[in-house]
Amino acid sequence: MKKFQSKMHSLRFLSIFLALCFAFKLSFSSPGPYVMRISCGARQNVHTKPTNTLWYKDFAYTGGIPTNGTRPTFISPPLETLRYFPLSEGPENCYNIKRVPHGHYSVRIYFGLVADPSFDNEPLFDVSVEGTLIYTLQSGWSIHDDEGVFVEALVFLEDGTASLCFHSTGHGDPAILAIEILQVDDRAYYFGTGYGQGTILRTHKRLSCGAKNSQFDVDYSGDRWGGDRFWNSILTFGQGSDNSISTQKSIKQASIRPNVYPEALYKSAIVSTAEQPDLTYSVDVEPNQNYSIWLHFAEIDSSITGEGQRVLDILINGDVAFPGVDIVKMAGGINSALVLNKTVAINGRTLTITLQPTKGTSAIINAIEIFEVLVAESKTVPEEVKALQSLKDALGLPLRLGWNGDPCVPQQHPWSGTDCLYDKTSNKWVIDGLGLDNQGLRGFLPNEISHLRHLQSINLSGNSIKGPIPSALGLVTALEMLDLSYNSFNGSIPESLGQLTSLRILNLNGNSLSGRVPVALGGRLLHRASFNFTDNAGLCGIPGLRTCGPHLSVGAKVAVGFGALVALLLIATCLTCWWKRRQNILRAQRIAAREAPYAKARTHFSRDVQMARHHGQENSKNTRTAAENGPPLLT
């Protein structure tokens, strides 16, 4: 009994220990791959059957117009909306998806058709990912039940964003049904020299040989790190002498990193016959491009039981790429997966894969993947992209100009009005010219234009741009031509423009500028420079313009202004004193006028009194004189 209890205690302890280990492993295991699926044009999140896949609503990623859409084929996800981009909103439109973790991703874009008979039901346009052109839709894409209804590429995303752009080619409006951004292993589809951040793999063809139905990884119960690939079924290579076979047995060495192919992929195959032992598959490709080819094998033919019974030479466009392939030996047994990869340069327009048995009477293959190897375009210097975005906002650029995505790449679709130059020092593109004349611009010229330090020419003439000319333009030292004529610029010409020693053409005519032309600019008129300052009523200082008054320094101007203010205050004070004195005089006169009758009476009375007194004084004086002189003499 004690032994039994001791065993039970040990088992209980062991179970607890294992549970803790499992929990510890889960807590410290790597998180699952990043997944972002967008149902374009949708206002709410959508779940689709049969896998209950979550598609996020389409909000704040781009412009364009959301509307009802239709699925071109069964391959497209069962979604009811899309987003299309009319040419009136510009030739370039982009989805800018932020907060995407650094890593390696499978990016898939599904195309749609606007559910309105008045629309062209098959738009043709170009698609770029991170500034690299990856696909051009071909006429008839919407009626083929294959990969033509979407484009897929493996790309490294390094800056926390994903930029997916659609470029109009003049045939219909780009219409996007859905977008998937699915993280894969950082070394997924590693093909050797050239692999890495500067390379994009565009899926050209992916075939599940011998399979009855086309399926995604999720239908195969595949690992999420596989990127939910789509495998197009193919039952025959069209030679009339090959067969499809399948097995239900388990396949070893299949679902392992970095590519984690689904095990079910290897349970079907195409096998040649003794009458026609070679297997040949051909596909059209773009000429003068590199292609990475991945061939999948598992010996599931019941007639093969060991090594040496089937050996193949594998040729690509007639050249032996893999000699003496013994699938059983190389895979480690029957019903074991083997993957071979070869990257080749294709000069013509056809890629042909041939499997020739050197031992045995037939060839076999389970799956084929073909990727076009694209060199990722170098992007424009980020500081200059931000400067152009500031310019776009400040000048109120019309939607028809676009200005979405990267200004310089893809090189087939640069921004309207921008000239690009490849800078070998930074290995990036820079802006060396702006030509936005006569575009109806009505904003102002921001200081951020100084961040376009490689500009050699600026032409903004014939618009309605207002405000001052930014002094920061003096920092664009490479500038040779500046044409701001026939706008509404005001204020003075910045002295900083005199620092542009490479400037040969300066047109500022037809504005509302004022003040003195900077001496450094005026002095260069004698050195073969072409400067035009006419039709600015307030400008002065060079021949052809009015004469300026004495040139005062800033301190002198302040002193003159202060003196004028003091004089104005003194004049105001004197006027105030005079006005008050005048009011007092007028008041006294009014009072005197009211008292005049009484004053006149008093005046007469005083005069009578004074005269009476004077008369009395005279009589008294005469009497005294007579008394003193005696009686008058008689004659």
Side-chain angles (χ1 to χ4, degrees):
M1 185 67 181
K2 289 183 178 180
K3 289 183 178 180
F4 177 77
Q5 290 177 343
S6 177
K7 287 183 178 180
M8 290 296 295
H9 180 74
S10 298
L11 289 173
R12 194 179 299 113
F13 177 82
L14 181 60
S15 64
I16 293 173
F17 177 78
L18 292 175
L20 289 173
C21 289
F22 181 73
F24 181 84
K25 182 179 179 181
L26 286 178
S27 63
F28 285 91
S29 62
S30 60
Y34 173 90
V35 175
M36 169 60 76
R37 291 184 171 93
I38 300 173
S39 175
C40 299
R43 292 191 171 96
Q44 302 293 333
N45 294 342
V46 180
H47 288 83
T48 55
K49 296 179 180 180
T51 55
N52 199 39
T53 302
L54 171 62
W55 300 83
Y56 289 101
K57 63 182 178 180
D58 186 3
F59 177 73
Y61 296 116
T62 185
I65 301 174
T67 188
N68 292 330
T70 59
R71 300 169 61 193
T73 72
F74 73 94
I75 296 172
S76 306
L79 302 170
E80 298 180 353
T81 62
L82 55 73
R83 185 176 293 271
Y84 74 96
F85 302 94
L87 189 58
S88 60
E89 295 204 3
E92 281 78 48
N93 289 276
C94 304
Y95 268 81
N96 295 303
I97 302 167
K98 299 179 180 179
R99 294 188 292 276
V100 179
H102 165 96
H104 195 199
Y105 289 88
S106 174
V107 176
R108 189 155 52 223
I109 302 167
Y110 291 93
F111 315 124
L113 301 174
V114 176
D116 188 326
S118 64
F119 278 77
D120 187 327
N121 281 334
E122 192 180 60
L124 306 179
F125 53 94
D126 291 345
V127 180
S128 67
V129 174
E130 293 296 296
T132 300
L133 185 67
I134 64 168
Y135 193 61
T136 297
L137 273 75
Q138 303 296 324
S139 180
W141 64 265
S142 61
I143 59 176
H144 296 300
D145 289 337
D146 59 15
E147 297 96 325
V149 298
F150 68 83
V151 61
E152 178 186 88
L154 290 165
V155 58
F156 287 91
L157 300 177
E158 304 297 323
D159 58 2
T161 64
S163 177
L164 318 177
C165 297
F166 317 106
H167 311 273
S168 297
T169 59
H171 191 287
D173 299 325
I176 310 301
L177 182 72
I179 292 172
E180 289 184 292
I181 301 177
L182 311 174
Q183 189 175 11
V184 297
D185 192 282
D186 282 350
R187 290 180 65 82
Y189 292 97
Y190 175 81
F191 60 83
T193 303
Y195 178 89
Q197 297 178 9
T199 302
I200 294 176
L201 292 179
R202 181 187 67 83
T203 304
H204 184 74
K205 192 67 67 175
R206 185 177 277 127
L207 302 173
S208 178
C209 302
K212 295 181 180 179
N213 299 309
S214 299
Q215 299 189 76
F216 286 90
D217 273 2
V218 66
D219 302 315
Y220 281 131
S221 300
D223 191 294
R224 289 178 60 191
W225 282 101
D228 196 18
R229 291 155 293 203
F230 175 75
W231 300 90
N232 199 20
S233 64
I234 184 169
L235 293 172
T236 176
F237 291 152
Q239 300 164 181
S241 58
D242 52 18
N243 300 314
S244 299
I245 63 173
S246 62
T247 184
Q248 296 300 317
K249 295 181 179 179
S250 297
I251 305 297
K252 298 182 285 295
Q253 305 297 321
S255 299
I256 57 176
R257 300 281 284 266
N259 292 350
V260 285
Y261 294 110
E263 180 185 351
L265 181 68
Y266 299 91
K267 292 186 176 184
S268 66
I270 290 178
V271 180
S272 64
T273 62
E275 293 78 15
Q276 181 63 47
D278 291 357
L279 280 177
T280 302
Y281 173 73
S282 294
V283 63
D284 292 336
V285 294
E286 293 293 325
N288 304 314
Q289 288 292 115
N290 292 335
Y291 283 84
S292 186
I293 301 163
W294 298 72
L295 306 175
H296 300 262
F297 302 93
E299 194 55 84
I300 61 173
D301 187 347
S302 59
S303 65
I304 304 296
T305 58
E307 298 179 9
Q309 298 179 24
R310 190 190 329 256
V311 179
L312 307 172
D313 280 350
I314 302 175
L315 290 72
I316 298 177
N317 279 4
D319 297 327
V320 177
F322 303 99
V325 175
D326 186 334
I327 299 170
V328 175
K329 180 178 180 180
M330 296 174 69
I334 60 172
N335 299 322
S336 294
L338 171 67
V339 182
L340 300 178
N341 166 242
K342 186 74 172 181
T343 300
V344 296
I346 306 297
N347 296 321
R349 292 185 175 275
T350 303
L351 169 63
T352 300
I353 301 170
T354 305
L355 295 87
Q356 295 180 344
T358 58
K359 287 187 179 182
T361 59
S362 62
I364 186 173
I365 189 166
N366 299 75
I368 299 174
E369 293 177 286
I370 301 172
F371 298 94
E372 183 180 1
V373 181
L374 302 173
V375 177
E377 292 269 17
S378 297
K379 295 185 179 182
T380 307
V381 174
E383 183 184 27
E384 299 206 0
V385 177
K386 291 180 181 178
L388 287 177
Q389 291 290 359
S390 298
L391 198 66
K392 174 184 177 180
D393 296 338
L395 293 177
L397 250 65
L399 290 175
R400 57 182 168 78
L401 290 180
W403 281 36
N404 296 304
D406 190 286
C408 299
V409 293
Q411 296 180 51
Q412 300 88 338
H413 299 282
W415 285 3
S416 299
T418 61
D419 296 326
C420 297
L421 177 70
Y422 187 72
D423 181 25
K424 294 181 179 180
T425 302
S426 64
N427 293 322
K428 292 185 180 296
W429 292 90
V430 295
I431 309 300
D432 72 335
L434 279 178
L436 295 172
D437 52 305
N438 300 298
Q439 294 296 331
L441 308 181
R442 296 182 177 276
F444 64 95
L445 199 56
N447 286 322
E448 285 80 0
I449 196 171
S450 65
H451 297 162
L452 301 172
R453 299 184 184 276
H454 300 86
L455 279 176
Q456 297 181 31
S457 66
I458 299 175
N459 187 354
L460 299 175
S461 63
N463 291 292
S464 299
I465 305 171
K466 55 183 179 293
I469 298 173
S471 60
L473 267 176
L475 299 175
V476 189
T477 55
L479 204 58
E480 298 177 3
M481 191 274 281
L482 176 61
D483 191 344
L484 303 180
S485 60
Y486 299 107
N487 278 282
S488 300
F489 287 103
N490 54 34
S492 59
I493 299 175
E495 295 282 348
S496 62
L497 296 191
Q499 303 170 13
L500 303 177
T501 55
S502 299
L503 198 61
R504 294 293 176 264
I505 299 175
L506 176 62
N507 294 330
L508 300 180
N509 51 301
N511 284 283
S512 300
L513 299 170
S514 60
R516 182 185 293 272
V517 174
V519 175
L521 289 177
R524 293 219 296 276
L525 289 173
L526 301 177
H527 295 82
R528 297 182 181 179
S530 173
F531 293 175
N532 192 341
F533 302 106
T534 60
D535 296 327
N536 287 281
L539 280 182
C540 64
I542 62 171
L545 301 179
R546 67 181 181 84
T547 304
C548 296
H551 181 70
L552 299 176
S553 65
V554 175
K557 290 178 181 179
V558 172
V560 169
F562 181 76
L565 179 62
V566 171
L568 183 63
L569 290 175
L570 287 173
I571 292 172
T573 302
C574 292
L575 288 174
T576 301
C577 292
W578 174 85
W579 183 80
K580 287 185 176 182
R581 181 177 179 82
R582 178 66 178 166
Q583 292 299 314
N584 290 335
I585 293 172
L586 292 175
R587 188 181 299 112
Q589 289 177 348
R590 286 196 297 271
I591 292 173
R594 287 198 301 268
E595 296 179 353
Y598 303 99
K600 184 176 180 180
R602 287 196 300 272
T603 301
H604 289 173
F605 176 77
S606 299
R607 188 181 60 191
D608 292 343
V609 171
Q610 290 176 359
M611 289 182 64
R613 289 178 178 174
H614 179 70
H615 184 69
Q617 291 174 355
E618 288 292 332
N619 290 337
S620 176
K621 182 178 180 181
N622 291 336
T623 302
R624 287 196 302 270
T625 303
E628 290 174 356
N629 294 331
L633 294 178
L634 298 176
T635 60

